Amino acid sequence: MKPITIHPWELNEEEAVSLQRELAKKVIQQDQPHDITYVAGVDVAYSKESDVLIAAVVILEAASLKLVESVTVEDRVHFPYIPGLFSFRELPPVIKAFEQIKIQPDLVVCDGQGIAHPRRFGLASHLGVLLDIPTIGCGKTRLLGTYDEPGDSRGSHSSLIDNDEVVGHVLRTQDHVKPIFVSIGHKISLDAASAWILKLSPQYRLPETTRQADHLVKIALSRLNPS
């Protein structure tokens, strides 16, 4: 699975911000009619001992949430830590992982933000535009915006608002657990994105896509840095 849109990654901060603003115009915030059979999860983890990072892609059957394929890629950090520009740091190895998978997903859930981003172009939106695939941003923490606390029961949500614009949902995936922050990545509506995150989170706070990808990168890192 290769990117449809290609751009250079060797950019300075000003160039990266400019590119985000340009590519943000390509984000589609409506559902695209197609069946979803396979859902992918992506995650990136960093070694504490070096500049090595691990990117993982997992593919789950949408109906059963059974893991059917997984890929990890080892790379090195090539872009500095700059808030709002994580995608330039993390997507190059993620793209390499997608190039290795055999089962093409119909939807990708990212451990990060979509349009809930200062320039409406977080990692999930960036990946969705590059691969031309529906994506969802599912963050453990808020990057921006204000919200009212959602109800305590599973499925309760409130709007995440930035500059009078709804940029996401603050979603309770299990009763009495901390909510997560769901936003459109690309080619999906906010309501559909939240519905999918609930479906992918039958037992735990985080969706199975994120849990499986996180587990995979931790195993890969432990092999690099055995204690």
Side-chain angles (χ1 to χ4, degrees):
M1 187 174 186
K2 294 186 178 295
I4 302 300
T5 299
I6 298 174
H7 65 71
W9 294 100
E10 301 293 328
L11 303 172
N12 60 35
E13 181 176 356
E14 182 180 354
E15 291 169 335
V17 168
S18 178
L19 181 60
Q20 280 185 330
R21 291 195 172 109
E22 188 62 31
L23 291 178
K25 300 172 185 176
K26 297 180 179 290
V27 172
I28 297 171
Q29 300 188 29
Q30 295 85 34
D31 295 317
Q32 302 298 294
H34 73 296
D35 294 331
I36 295 179
T37 304
Y38 296 105
V39 183
V42 301
D43 197 13
V44 176
Y46 299 82
S47 170
K48 295 179 180 178
E49 284 79 23
S50 67
D51 63 350
V52 170
L53 55 79
I54 301 289
V57 174
V58 296
I59 309 293
L60 277 60
E61 286 184 347
S64 67
L65 303 187
K66 176 185 175 183
L67 178 67
V68 293
E69 188 180 2
S70 61
V71 170
T72 57
V73 167
E74 179 184 332
D75 203 349
R76 295 190 177 275
V77 174
H78 297 291
F79 195 87
Y81 173 85
I82 302 174
L85 294 176
F86 286 153
S87 61
F88 291 90
R89 186 176 172 91
E90 299 193 345
L91 282 188
V94 168
I95 293 294
K96 291 177 184 176
F98 269 104
E99 289 175 344
Q100 294 184 26
I101 63 170
K102 297 178 176 63
I103 299 174
Q104 181 163 327
D106 307 294
L107 174 67
V108 181
V109 177
C110 298
D111 181 20
Q113 311 299 331
I115 67 166
H117 179 275
R119 290 168 291 280
R120 306 297 184 255
F121 201 69
L123 185 146
S125 297
H126 200 157
L127 181 63
V129 168
L130 292 188
L131 295 180
D132 190 31
I133 191 172
T135 55
I136 299 172
C138 182
K140 302 181 191 74
T141 58
R142 174 186 59 171
L143 178 61
L144 50 62
T146 59
Y147 65 94
D148 295 325
E149 193 71 14
D152 285 336
S153 60
R154 169 179 161 85
S156 298
H157 73 270
S158 60
S159 295
L160 180 65
I161 300 172
D162 180 56
N163 290 329
D164 297 321
E165 178 185 356
V166 175
V167 295
H169 279 164
V170 185
L171 177 67
R172 193 90 62 186
T173 54
Q174 303 295 330
D175 294 348
H176 309 295
V177 301
K178 289 167 57 176
I180 56 178
F181 298 85
V182 180
S183 57
I184 293 167
H186 184 50
K187 287 191 167 184
I188 196 167
S189 67
L190 183 55
D191 286 343
S194 292
W196 268 107
I197 295 302
L198 270 182
K199 176 179 172 59
L200 294 166
S201 310
Q203 293 182 286
Y204 301 100
R205 177 185 178 228
L206 297 177
E208 287 302 304
T209 42
T210 299
R211 282 169 42 80
Q212 295 274 4
D214 177 71
H215 179 66
L216 198 59
V217 293
K218 285 179 178 176
I219 289 175
L221 278 180
S222 70
R223 290 171 178 162
L224 283 176
N225 307 303
S227 56

